Amino acid sequence: MEKRNIRAKGKSTEGNKNTGRKSEDSRQKKAVIVGCAAAIAAGMVLLTILSAAMSAGKVPIWAVKGIGLILGCLLACIGAFFCARHAKQNGFFLGMLCAGILFAAGMLGSLAIGETPGFWALVKLFSMLLCGCLCGSIGVNLKQRKKGF
């Protein structure tokens, strides 16, 4: 009879380990969704401002690729930071994942309008991944303020 109790205890422990891992995975998935959504929302605002400035003639055409690189890196930083703050762990890898997703979304958008990827896309990919990794690490390690005094 004791052997049955030991086996039953072992099975329940394994089940709890799997449940904890699933909740951690779902929390990280939710964090990636939150981070990418925040970056997309910020990107929509920044791209609207950029398009208004371009239509007013304030931004030269030759500067658009450089501005796009800076904007991509900024969005990767925003997405990675919010993702890492939400997940509270694995900021480096989750930041890289968010940056990769944002780059893929931007690449699909540029392919949809007929632009061919070149060396500049590779530069943008590595820049966004680097910014995502750095800002994800910063987001995890940033201390939260205590509420109140």
Side-chain angles (χ1 to χ4, degrees), residues 51-108:
S51 66
M54 285 178 66
S55 66
K58 303 290 182 187
V59 177
I61 298 297
W62 58 267
V64 171
K65 283 197 176 193
I67 292 172
L69 176 69
I70 293 169
L71 187 66
C73 289
L74 182 64
L75 294 181
C77 284
I78 291 170
F81 183 79
F82 281 109
C83 177
R85 294 300 285 172
H86 194 276
K88 298 179 182 168
Q89 63 183 3
N90 298 335
F92 185 86
F93 296 109
L94 291 177
M96 186 172 19
L97 180 63
C98 279
I101 290 171
L102 292 171
F103 175 79
M107 179 59 76
L108 288 175

Side-chain angles (χ1 to χ4, degrees), residues 99-122:
I101 290 171
L102 292 171
F103 175 79
M107 179 59 76
L108 288 175
S110 73
L111 289 174
I113 62 172
E115 189 176 320
T116 58
F119 180 71
W120 193 252
L122 192 62

Side-chain angles (χ1 to χ4, degrees), residues 24-39:
E24 182 181 325
D25 288 345
S26 66
R27 191 175 88 203
Q28 289 181 354
K29 287 177 189 175
K30 188 176 178 183
V32 170
I33 291 170
V34 166
C36 288

